[in-house]
C-alpha cells in the first residue's frame, strides 16, 4: 500500500533499462519499500509489494550501470547525478576542524548574504536525511535585514500578547504539566528572555536586537505533520554547517518556530501550508566578533553499554 503523507500519495515509478541491467541484484538488496524483487535471472518491479516505491533512491545509488530510474514522490530523472569524486569529499580532519571552529554568533555585520550563497546553503541542506521520503521539510527564507526585521516584528507581537502566559502565577498553575527542571527553567529563563526580546530589561540597550541578533539572513525550517519533527532540525543543521563552511557566522533560534506555531494569522501571512509544524530558525551573516579560541564541549552523559546482564 502506498505511503500517504502530508505531501505525497501513490508510489514512485521504477524503470529498469534491461539493455544496461546485468541483474547483479544490488538494487534488490537495498530496496526496503519492497517493489524490487529477484526474478531468477532478472529484476522484477511490482509496485503492489509492501509500500511500493517510496522514492528513497537507494536502488539508483546502488546500481553500478545507471540502469535504474525512479520518478515520482518528489524525484525526477534529472535528479540522478554523479557522486562527487572521492578526493573532493571532506575527510574527518576537515569536517572536525569545521565543527571545532564553530561557535554560535550573536553579533552580525550588516552586509547581506549574497543570493548565490543562500542557494549554496539550501543545496547542502536539501541533502539532509528525512524520516520518510519525499521530504516534508519546508523552509521560509528571509533574505535580507529588512525581511528579518519585519518577521521579528510579527513574532514580537505574539510575544507581547502571550507574555502573561509566562508570568509567575500562570507558570505556577502550569507546573503540573512540567517536570521540576522544566518548571524552574520556564521561571528562570523564558519569562526574562521574552522581556529581553521586547527590550523591557534594563540590561538590554535601547534598539538592541536580543532576538534575531540583527542578522541579515534567517531561515525558518518546518516539517509536515506526518514528518518526524527532527527532519526540520537535521535540515537546519546541514544549513548551519554549509554556512559555516562558507565562512559565515550562524546561530540557531528556538523561539521563532514556537511563536509562529502559536499564531495562525502570522503563519498565513508567511504562506505556511496547513500541514507545517514550525521548527528551528537559523540566522546567518558575517560575524562581527569571530571566535579566535575553541572550547572542548561535553555531553551531559555518555554511557558505553557492554554486556548488559539479561533481565531475570
Ligand atoms: C534548538 C536550539 C535552540 C537555540 N535557540 C537559541 C536562541 O533562541 N537564541 C540564541 O541566541 N541561541 C540559541 N541557540 C544557540 C545555543 O544557545 C548555543 O548553541 C549554545 O549556547 C552553545 O554554544 P555554541 O553554539 O557556541 O557551542 C539554540 C541552539 C539550539 C540547538
Amino acid at each position: 500500500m502506498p505511503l500517504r503523507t502530508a505531501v505525497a500519495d501513490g508510489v514512485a515509478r521504477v524503470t529498469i533499462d534491461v539493455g544496461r541491467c546485468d541483474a547483479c541484484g544490488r538494487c534488490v538488496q537495498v530496496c526496503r519499500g519492497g517493489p524490487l524483487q529477484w526474478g531468477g535471472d532478472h529484476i522484477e518491479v511490482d509496485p503492489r509489494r509492501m509500500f511500493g516505491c517510496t522514492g528513497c533512491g537507494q536502488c539508483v545509488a546502488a546500481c553500478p550501470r545507471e540502469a535504474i530510474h525512479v520518478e515520482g514522490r518528489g524525484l525526477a530523472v534529472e535528479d540522478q547525478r554523479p557522486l562527487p569524486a572521492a578526493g573532493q569529499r571532506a575527510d574527518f580532519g576537515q569536517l572536525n576542524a569545521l565543527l571545532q571552529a564553530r561557535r554560535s554568533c550573536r553579533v552580525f555585520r550588516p552586509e547581506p548574504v549574497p543570493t548565490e550563497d543562500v542557494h549554496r546553503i539550501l543545496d547542502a541542506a536539501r541533502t539532509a536525511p528525512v524520516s520518510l521520503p519525499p521530504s516534508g521539510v519546508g523552509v521560509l527564507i528571509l533574505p535580507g535585514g529588512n525581511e528579518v526585521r519585519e518577521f521579528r516584528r510579527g513574532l514580537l507581537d505574539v510575544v507581547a500578547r502571550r507574555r502573561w502566559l509566562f508570568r509567575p502565577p500562570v507558570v505556577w498553575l502550569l507546573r503540573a504539566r512540567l517536570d521540576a527542571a522544566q518548571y524552574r527553567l520556564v521561571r528562570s529563563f523564558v519569562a526574562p528572555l521574552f522581556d529581553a526580546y521586547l527590550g523591557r530589561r534594563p540590561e538590554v540597550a535601547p534598539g538592541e536586537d536580543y532576538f534575531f541578533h540583527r542578522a541579515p539572513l534567517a531561515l525558518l525550517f518546518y516539517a509536515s505533520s506526518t514528518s518526524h519533527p527532527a527532519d526540520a532540525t537535521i535540515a537546519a543543521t546541514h544549513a548551519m554547517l554549509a554556512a559555516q563552511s562558507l565562512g559565515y557566522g550562524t546561530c540557531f533560534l528556538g523561539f521563532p518556530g514556537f511563536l509562529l506555531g502559536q499564531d495562525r494569522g502570522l503563519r498565513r501571512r508567511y504562506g505556511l501550508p496547513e500541514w507545517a509544524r514550525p521548527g528551528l530558525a537559523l540566522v546567518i551573516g558575517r560575524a562581527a566578533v569571530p571566535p579566535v579560541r575553541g572550547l572542548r564541549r561535553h555531553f551531559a552523559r555518555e554511557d558505553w553499554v557492554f554486556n548488559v546482564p539479561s533481565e531475570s
Side-chain angles (χ1 to χ4, degrees), residues 161-311:
R161 273 186 274 123
R162 302 260 161 171
R163 195 163 161 252
W164 62 271
L165 264 175
F166 299 93
R167 294 278 143 237
V170 185
V171 176
W172 190 81
L173 286 172
L174 284 175
R175 78 196 184 292
R177 302 179 63 180
L178 307 170
D179 71 28
Q182 289 172 323
Y183 175 59
R184 284 197 303 269
L185 186 70
V186 172
R187 283 192 57 160
S188 63
F189 180 59
V190 182
L193 184 71
F194 279 8
D195 283 344
Y197 284 176
L198 293 166
R200 295 184 192 167
R201 295 277 316 182
E203 302 89 342
V204 178
E208 192 179 327
D209 175 8
Y210 209 84
F211 194 7
F212 277 76
H213 313 304
R214 287 182 193 273
L217 168 66
L219 306 176
L220 185 287
F221 289 85
Y222 53 89
S224 78
S225 55
T226 52
S227 300
H228 194 291
D231 288 8
T233 307
I234 297 167
T237 307
H238 276 46
M240 177 193 72
L241 295 176
Q244 212 66 45
S245 76
L246 291 168
Y248 291 104
T250 62
C251 190
F252 280 136
L253 307 180
F255 281 106
F258 167 75
L259 294 166
L260 198 57
Q262 305 288 309
D263 195 279
R264 184 176 280 266
L266 205 54
R267 284 204 306 272
R268 218 176 282 135
R269 190 172 150 212
Y270 278 93
L272 255 65
E274 268 305 309
W275 48 257
R277 302 287 180 270
L280 264 186
L282 176 71
V283 287
I284 301 172
R286 294 287 171 207
V289 189
V292 289
R293 243 170 114 62
L295 279 179
R296 188 150 62 99
R297 293 292 206 187
H298 307 274
F299 283 133
R301 288 184 62 129
E302 281 179 38
D303 301 308
W304 294 60
V305 180
F306 297 108
N307 301 323
V308 183
S310 54
E311 270 184 314

Side-chain angles (χ1 to χ4, degrees), residues 111-132:
E111 59 258 36
V113 176
T115 308
E116 184 196 345
D117 282 352
V118 180
H119 284 297
R120 290 159 96 186
I121 292 165
L122 292 174
D123 194 38
R126 281 187 220 108
T127 67
V130 292
S131 47
L132 210 58

